């Protein structure tokens, strides 16, 4: 088979490397890809959001499958466009990707189908949102932009002034553009967070092994939110019992709700959960693999990913048994100096071999370029270094030993991955 992966980050590198393990896959392309991906696949210079060019390229090149990995092209209907052109595609259609693309949609879905989540109200008018918060007088309070905001559209306000500031920047300054036309004001929940990614064909849902992200920039969960600074799998807080409860109260009901709404979800559905004193609740849905969750979950998949993709697309997932390794996985993200704020690009990365790898771990490239045998930084999150071992401690040790072999000016990474609540 000839497969095209859309995207160019650490998640896409993970997908590319997993597909490479499949005996069914002969050629892998990635658009636009990155420096590290170029060592494992043929990179194609088409932007992930360029639906027209992507479809034309996939048709010309007679791709057997296009795997759409990032949120924006999914929300913009890339899968719909590929299907209309007769090309097999993995990922939800736009009418299902909205579960991530609109928080108002996902909150209303959960309310309608009694799926546990934080209490909330939706506002289109900034003054009414502020009045509501003032009347409630309960802090912290969570202010969320309705639409996609690069993971930055959530503000946990500690007092009225902070809430007002968030409403102002989201709804009036429009720092996230039209994503801020509406806001969701949400009850603040506490408890350990768990990421559960699940394959679903629209009817059957098969959760993958659990994971835990570390979203804040610095050790001790300090600093600003990022796309994710590291992950572990499995998540130590996610017991067998909780998994069963989530299946019954969240996973299956969500898939059924989407079907009932005439928006069957096919692809990878990501459940961001909080384990509260009142049971597990949904914090967010994503319509795709998490990044860097994919970097610890997919390496543990023993079933041929191509077989899973086929089952998802063909609606035969219930007939396929997914096998996972008993190993633990840990991923440490190395980021550019300044990230999640502004950062320089083009800085030489040292310590990688000719394939962009190091001994003892797998290096998933996120923001890198490659030219004349040299890897350089090209983004905020630069590398995701994953260790696999029989225990979490050993997996972390492997990941950190590998990180120690790699350096670039300004690099920062968290030293406490897997050690925080
Ligand atoms: P999101 O972009 O929806 O994943 O939110 C980013 C982060 O904000 C989450 O990972 C949580 O840590 C936090 N968060 C979001 N919603 C809530 C909530 N209702 N209560 C507490 N924390 C929240
Ligand atoms: N790591 C969180 C996300 O992919 O949304």
């Amino acid at each position: 088979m000839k497969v095209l992966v859309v995207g160019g980050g650490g998640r896409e590198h993970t997908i590319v490397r997993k597909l490479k393990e499949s005996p069914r896959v002969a050629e892998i392309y990635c658009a636009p890809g990155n420096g590290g991906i170029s060592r494992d696949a043929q990179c194609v210079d088409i932007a992930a959001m360029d639906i027209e060019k992507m479809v034309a390229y996939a048709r010309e090149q007679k791709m057997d499958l296009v795997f759409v990995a990032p949120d924006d092209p999914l929300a913009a209907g890339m899968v719909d466009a590929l299907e209309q052109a007769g090309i097999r595609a993995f990922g939800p259609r736009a009418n299902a990707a909205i579960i991530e693309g609109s928080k108002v949609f996902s909150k209303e879905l959960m309310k309608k189908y009694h799926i546990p989540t934080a209490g909330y109200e939706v506002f289109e008018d900034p003054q009414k949102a502020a009045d509501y918060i003032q009347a409630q007088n309960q802090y912290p309070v969570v202010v969320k932009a309705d639409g996609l905001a690069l993971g930055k559209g959530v503000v946990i306000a500690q007092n009225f002034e902070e809430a007002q500031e968030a409403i102002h920047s989201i709804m009036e300054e429009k720092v996230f553009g039209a994503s801020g036309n509406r806001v969701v004001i949400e009850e603040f929940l506490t408890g350990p967070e768990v990421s559960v990614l699940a394959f679903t064909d629209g009817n059957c849902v098969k959760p993958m092994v659990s994971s835990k992200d570390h979203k804040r920039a610095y050790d001790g969960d300090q600093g600003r939110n990022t796309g994710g600074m590291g992950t572990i799998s499995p998540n130590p807080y996610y017991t067998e019992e909780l998994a069963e409860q989530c299946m019954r109260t969240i996973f299956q009901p969500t898939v059924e709700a989407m079907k009932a709404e005439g928006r069957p979800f096919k692809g990878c559905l990501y459940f961001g959960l909080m384990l509260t004193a009142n049971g597990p609740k949904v914090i967010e849905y994503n319509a795709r693999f998490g990044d860097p969750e994919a970097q610890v979950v997919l390496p543990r998949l023993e079933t041929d990913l191509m077989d899973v993709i086929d089952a998802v697309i063909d609606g035969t997932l219930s007939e396929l048994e997914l096998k996972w390794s008993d190993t633990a996985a840990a991923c440490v993200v190395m980021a550019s100096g300044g990230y999640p704020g502004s950062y320089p690009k083009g800085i030489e990365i040292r310590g990688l071999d000719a394939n962009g790898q190091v001994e003892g771990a797998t290096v998933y490239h996120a923001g890198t370029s490659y030219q004349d045998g040299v890897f350089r930084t090209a983004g905020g999150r630069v590398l995701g270094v994953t260790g696999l071992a029989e225990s979490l401690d050993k997996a972390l040790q492997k990941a950190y030993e590998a990180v120690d072999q790699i350096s670039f000016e300004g690099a920062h990474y968290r030293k406490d991955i897997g050690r925080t609540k």
Side-chain angles (χ1 to χ4, degrees):
M1 291 181 70
K2 220 171 147 178
V3 180
L4 171 64
V5 176
V6 175
R11 165 183 54 208
E12 288 75 17
H13 196 188
T14 313
I15 293 164
V16 161
R17 286 186 70 101
K18 198 71 204 177
L19 286 170
K20 237 178 126 173
E21 290 174 15
S22 170
R24 299 178 51 203
V25 177
E27 289 174 57
I28 308 178
Y29 297 76
C30 188
N34 64 36
I37 293 175
S38 77
R39 314 313 295 150
D40 290 305
Q42 176 85 41
C43 289
V44 183
D45 189 16
I46 301 174
M49 269 304 270
D50 197 333
I51 294 182
E52 212 172 302
K53 271 198 192 152
M54 202 69 76
V55 173
Y57 180 79
R59 191 177 344 185
E60 271 161 32
Q61 295 291 319
K62 300 195 165 54
M63 293 293 167
D64 297 301
L65 173 81
V66 180
F67 189 124
V68 185
D71 50 355
D72 322 357
L74 288 168
M78 186 176 280
V79 167
D80 309 53
L82 287 161
E83 286 177 353
Q84 277 153 25
I87 300 158
R88 248 170 112 75
F90 179 86
R93 294 180 185 160
N95 74 350
I98 191 173
I99 198 166
E100 169 171 9
S102 167
K103 295 212 192 277
V104 173
F105 173 86
S106 69
K107 295 300 285 191
E108 281 169 359
L109 185 84
M110 288 186 270
K111 187 184 261 180
K112 183 167 170 189
Y113 292 91
H114 310 291
I115 297 165
T117 188
Y120 75 100
E121 291 290 333
V122 177
F123 295 94
E124 289 179 17
D125 176 347
Q127 190 56 49
K128 288 197 175 133
D131 291 347
Y132 169 78
I133 289 173
Q134 200 158 31
Q136 289 262 310
N137 196 32
Q138 265 186 21
Y139 303 97
V141 64
V142 185
V143 181
K144 297 186 173 183
D146 174 35
L148 295 177
L150 298 167
K152 293 174 187 151
V154 176
V155 176
I156 304 201
Q158 302 296 336
N159 51 49
F160 181 65
E161 286 66 41
E162 281 181 26
Q164 220 175 6
E165 170 61 33
I167 291 167
H168 178 68
S169 66
I170 293 171
M171 301 192 85
E172 288 166 343
E173 288 179 349
K174 292 263 168 27
V175 290
F176 307 117
S179 286
N181 288 349
R182 293 187 289 183
V183 288
V184 174
I185 307 294
E186 213 174 81
E187 165 199 15
F188 178 76
L189 301 177
T190 52
E193 287 185 52
V194 182
S195 305
V196 180
L197 320 184
F199 289 109
T200 170
D201 63 7
N203 288 301
C204 170
V205 55
K206 296 226 163 154
M208 304 181 213
V209 287
S210 64
S211 56
K212 174 175 162 52
D213 194 7
H214 299 67
K215 286 206 169 82
R216 301 295 198 98
Y218 307 120
D219 284 17
D221 287 328
Q222 300 296 308
R224 287 164 55 193
N225 259 335
T226 68
M229 291 299 288
T231 36
I232 54 169
S233 173
N235 185 313
Y237 294 97
Y238 193 66
T239 60
E240 197 75 24
E241 210 181 338
L242 281 168
E244 270 168 38
Q245 189 181 353
C246 289
M247 188 66 182
R248 204 174 56 244
T249 61
I250 296 174
F251 306 155
Q252 196 68 48
T254 301
V255 167
E256 275 162 24
M258 291 298 280
K259 189 166 84 171
E261 292 294 306
R263 301 167 181 275
F265 190 105
K266 280 171 170 254
C268 172
L269 182 52
Y270 168 132
F271 299 88
L273 306 173
M274 198 171 269
L275 307 177
T276 75
N278 298 317
K281 296 192 179 185
V282 177
I283 289 282
E284 62 160 348
Y285 293 113
N286 291 323
R288 50 168 175 87
F289 277 89
D291 186 343
E293 282 87 345
Q295 287 87 318
V296 289
V297 170
L298 281 179
R300 299 184 56 204
L301 177 64
E302 288 180 342
T303 311
D304 187 333
L305 177 58
M306 212 45 240
D307 290 347
V308 187
I309 291 171
D310 277 345
V312 165
I313 297 175
D314 296 335
T316 55
L317 190 58
S318 64
E319 295 159 28
L320 185 73
E321 195 200 337
L322 298 190
K323 291 211 173 72
W324 300 93
S325 75
D326 278 334
T327 48
C331 174
V332 177
V333 169
M334 299 181 76
S336 292
Y339 176 80
S342 62
Y343 50 82
K345 291 184 186 173
I347 295 175
E348 184 173 344
I349 305 169
R350 295 174 198 276
L352 299 173
D353 69 18
N355 287 320
Q357 296 296 315
V358 294
E359 195 77 27
T362 305
V363 183
Y364 296 111
H365 288 234
T368 69
S369 64
Y370 177 79
Q371 210 179 5
D372 304 326
V374 180
F375 291 96
R376 292 181 188 279
T377 66
R381 291 188 295 174
V382 177
L383 304 168
V385 182
T386 295
L388 272 177
E390 63 274 21
S391 70
L392 176 61
D393 279 346
K394 288 196 174 135
L396 283 163
Q397 192 183 341
K398 278 190 172 177
Y400 278 111
E401 277 171 10
V403 165
D404 282 342
Q405 299 173 53
I406 307 168
S407 63
F408 54 90
E409 203 187 310
H412 73 93
Y413 59 89
R414 281 183 57 165
K415 319 251 177 337
D416 64 346
I417 299 303
R419 302 285 179 226
T420 61
K421 197 168 165 207

